[in-house]
């Protein structure tokens, strides 16, 4: 029993620490799909992030209960603690599964969406799609889908006639860059697809493993609480 109490107290502090990591992962997912919403049209793709944030908020009172139970066992607290662990397991499992499924689904659609926006770019910031491409290229310091030559194939603009690419392809340190191909050293050489795919996989894998590890810890917390409950059976709590 003393070992279960000590372990439960330890898990309570771990829950507090991991709540911040869980919330951080959820915010990353939401911002990822918000910043590149023209590439990811489905609004539900940010659902794993919202589930992760909800789980992070529930982890805080769960951690408090874990520490409280380890110090002085209370029948009511033990029951509420079990309910919260069950809720957390549902949220963590759903978030992990959705993060894995959505990462595979969006990766297959990303290239076609990016090619479409590049080919429809008209060089004007007034078009939302064109503005989204420029923002993406500046943020990721990339150019084109695979590399800068994708702009030479674009049919919706005159990039191939004037031998230059959008100024958003310019590296930050070259303030006078205008995207001319005669100065390739001033342009980002890597395409945006690879960089965005890497960012997507990192964010989704972060949420997936964070939820998986927390699910295991929550199961261990349930076992520890169960051991304590055996020494203090619930005789007078009817709702259980």
């Amino acid at each position: 029993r003393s070992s279960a109490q000590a372990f439960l107290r330890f898990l309570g502090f771990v829950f507090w620490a991991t709540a911040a990591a869980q919330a951080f992962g959820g915010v990353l997912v939401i911002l990822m799909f918000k910043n590149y919403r023209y590439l990811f049209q489905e609004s539900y793709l940010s659902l794993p992030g919202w589930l992760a944030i909800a789980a992070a908020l529930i982890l805080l009172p769960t951690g408090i209960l874990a520490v409280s139970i380890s110090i002085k066992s209370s029948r009511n607290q033990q029951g509420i603690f079990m309910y919260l662990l069950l809720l957390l397991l549902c949220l963590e499992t759903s978030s992990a599964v959705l993060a894995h499924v959505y990462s595979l689904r969006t990766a297959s659609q990303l290239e076609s969406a990016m090619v479409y926006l590049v080919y429809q770019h008209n060089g004007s910031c007034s078009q939302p799609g064109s503005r989204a491409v420029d923002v993406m290229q500046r943020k990721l310091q990339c150019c084109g889908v695979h590399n800068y030559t994708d702009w030479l194939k674009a049919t919706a603009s005159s990039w191939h006639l004037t031998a230059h690419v959008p100024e958003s392809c310019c590296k930050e340190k070259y303030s006078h860059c205008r995207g001319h191909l005669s100065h390739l050293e001033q342009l980002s050489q890597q395409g945006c697809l690879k960089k965005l795919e890497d960012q997507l996989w990192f964010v989704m894998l972060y949420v997936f493993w964070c939820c998986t590890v927390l699910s295991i810890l929550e199961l261990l917390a349930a076992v520890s609480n169960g051991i304590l409950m055996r020494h203090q059976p619930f005789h007078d709590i009817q709702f259980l």
Side-chain angles (χ1 to χ4, degrees):
R1 181 180 178 180
S2 59
S3 299
Q5 287 177 324
F7 188 62
L8 196 59
R9 186 183 304 114
F10 168 75
L11 288 178
F13 292 115
V14 170
F15 287 160
W16 290 342
T18 52
Q22 181 89 337
F24 176 71
V27 171
L28 283 181
V29 172
I30 294 171
L31 291 179
M32 174 80 180
F33 291 107
K34 181 181 179 181
N35 292 336
Y36 305 108
R37 59 185 177 275
Y38 286 98
L39 295 172
F40 307 106
Q41 296 294 330
E42 295 87 351
S43 58
Y44 60 81
L45 291 176
S46 60
L47 183 58
W50 290 110
L51 290 177
I53 291 177
L57 294 176
I58 298 175
L59 274 171
L60 295 176
T62 304
I64 295 174
L65 280 175
V67 174
S68 177
I69 291 171
S70 66
I71 297 174
K72 183 179 179 181
S73 297
S74 167
R75 295 178 178 180
N76 291 334
Q77 290 180 350
Q78 287 175 326
I80 295 172
F81 184 66
M82 280 302 214
Y83 284 132
L84 289 178
L85 287 178
L86 181 60
L87 178 59
L88 281 171
L89 279 172
C90 293
L91 290 173
E92 303 283 4
T93 304
S94 300
S95 183
V97 171
L98 289 176
H100 179 68
V101 172
Y102 288 172
S103 63
L104 295 176
R105 179 176 180 179
T106 54
S108 62
Q109 300 175 348
L110 192 56
E111 183 174 5
S112 59
M114 195 175 291
V115 168
Y116 174 80
L117 287 179
V118 167
Y119 275 54
Q120 295 299 314
H121 195 291
N122 59 5
S124 172
C125 293
S126 59
Q127 293 289 339
S130 299
R131 186 166 58 250
V133 172
D134 289 330
V135 169
M136 175 183 64
Q137 291 189 146
R138 288 193 178 97
K139 279 186 176 182
L140 300 178
Q141 283 294 284
C142 57
C143 188
V145 181
H146 301 286
N147 52 54
Y148 69 92
T149 60
D150 292 318
W151 289 107
L152 305 181
K153 307 170 188 175
T155 56
S157 60
S158 58
W159 307 118
H160 57 295
L161 299 178
T162 56
H164 80 286
V165 296
E167 292 183 15
S168 56
C169 285
C170 296
K171 296 178 180 178
E172 290 182 347
K173 61 181 180 180
Y174 295 106
S175 58
H176 301 292
C177 173
R178 293 296 177 266
H180 292 289
L181 296 181
S182 57
H183 300 286
L184 286 178
E185 73 281 356
Q186 298 179 357
L187 305 177
S188 300
Q189 300 298 315
Q190 190 173 357
C192 297
L193 179 61
K194 179 65 167 60
K195 286 195 171 185
L196 196 54
E197 282 180 341
D198 290 344
Q199 192 175 103
L200 174 66
W201 276 102
F202 171 78
V203 170
M204 288 303 196
L205 280 177
Y206 179 91
V207 172
F208 174 81
W209 284 112
C210 196
C211 292
T212 302
V213 171
L214 276 171
S215 297
I216 296 173
L217 293 177
E218 287 153 12
L219 287 173
L220 293 175
V223 172
S224 299
N225 190 43
I227 293 174
L228 296 178
M229 290 169 67
R230 287 182 59 188
H231 291 83
Q232 192 176 7
F234 286 78
H235 294 301
D236 55 346
I237 305 299
Q238 298 298 323
F239 65 87
L240 290 176

